[in-house]
Amino acid sequence: MPTQQTITAGVDGSPESLDAARWAAREALRRNLPLHLVHAGDPPADRGRLPDDDVPARRESGALDRAVLHLADTHPTLGILDEEVTGPPVGALLAAARSSALLVVGSRGAGALSRVLVGSVALAVAARASCPVALVRAGSRTEDTGSAAGPDGPVVLGLDLARAGDELLEYAFDAAASREVPLHVVHVWTAPLIPSADAIDPMPEKERRLAAELAPWRHKFPGIQVTGRLVHGLAGHHVVKAAEGAGLLVIGRRVPVGPRLGRTTHAAIHHTRCPVVVVPHY
């Protein structure tokens, strides 16, 4: 088990887990941290004894070794740690999260069937991990450039002003700074179904609160181009829409609330094409 913080990625031999490991390798280079690859499940199988029609078992057999060799060849300066863990993947990844700056797992494609296709392991880990969790779908921006730089779009932060946390804001600003891209902050709000006759327009107050939340972070990260936007409507829809063309979407998860993810987070994970980072915060 690593004795220092790492960028950790779960691998299982699937295309989405390999893309997640590639994305995690780029993130590790950005942060100058080692990459920790974890494979969990049954003890490593003897490939010669596997039935030819046991496709899942053959896919997992040797998955960790293949990932290590691929990433070591692509990123020769990257420190890589690998670990085989016997037992359920969710428990192994949650344990690894305790010594991780970020845990990266693969999720699957977007579209009408995405609710079914996003794996239960990815959802369970995102809902319960003690560190931020990145969900990377197959085909995300994972170019093997040998460099930490990449053609990322802006970082988008979905911010609930009633539940903003320093951990969430710091992660989003740091992610934009490390990528040298703009940060777009969006807050979605919903008006009462039946407003009272003497109701006050909430927009000026929300604008003031958003500016106040962002002010200290703008000061801490002066080189970042930051835009803040207020949108009225359904949070899940507008957060997904805001992330179109983004390189990364950052959303929060309140702790100790759980162990399920909120509706907005579910919508982002299932329907956003870019990687999504779920940040636990108080």
Side-chain angles (χ1 to χ4, degrees), residues 23 27 30-31 148-150 152-157 167-185 214 217-218 220-227 246-250 277 279:
W23 190 90
E27 195 69 12
R30 283 191 184 100
R31 301 194 192 191
D152 290 313
V155 172
V156 173
L157 168 62
E167 301 92 343
L168 176 62
L169 286 158
E170 182 172 24
Y171 188 95
F173 272 82
D174 187 66
S178 67
R179 288 164 171 75
E180 299 182 345
V181 298
L183 173 63
H184 298 169
V185 182
L214 298 180
W217 300 100
R218 289 178 186 267
K220 185 175 181 180
F221 294 88
I224 299 178
Q225 177 186 342
V226 183
T227 59
L248 184 69
L249 172 63
V250 181
V277 176
V279 180

Side-chain angles (χ1 to χ4, degrees), residues 10-89:
V11 296
D12 63 8
S14 66
E16 57 268 20
S17 81
L18 182 56
D19 276 351
R22 291 186 182 121
W23 190 90
R26 291 180 58 207
E27 195 69 12
L29 287 169
R30 283 191 184 100
R31 301 194 192 191
N32 195 28
L33 291 174
L35 176 66
H36 179 204
L37 299 178
V38 177
H39 176 268
D42 295 328
D46 182 346
R47 270 178 284 181
R49 297 181 182 179
L50 290 175
D52 290 338
D53 60 353
D54 193 347
V55 176
R58 285 190 169 274
R59 183 188 71 183
E60 288 206 27
S61 179
L64 185 60
D65 289 341
R66 291 194 299 274
V68 170
L69 290 172
H70 172 75
L71 294 174
D73 180 64
T74 306
H75 304 290
T77 63
L78 176 63
I80 303 176
L81 310 169
D82 61 284
E83 184 177 12
E84 284 278 4
V85 181
T86 300

Side-chain angles (χ1 to χ4, degrees), residues 216-278:
W217 300 100
R218 289 178 186 267
H219 180 75
K220 185 175 181 180
F221 294 88
I224 299 178
Q225 177 186 342
V226 183
T227 59
R229 188 159 61 97
L230 298 173
V231 184
H232 176 262
L234 297 176
H237 168 76
H238 284 292
V239 167
V240 170
K241 186 176 180 180
E244 293 176 358
L248 184 69
L249 172 63
V250 181
I251 48 181
R253 172 178 66 82
R254 285 290 298 274
V255 292
V257 177
R260 292 187 176 89
L261 297 169
R263 285 179 294 179
T264 301
T265 306
H266 265 286
I269 291 172
H270 289 299
H271 300 295
T272 303
R273 296 189 178 278
C274 69
V276 178
V277 176
V278 181

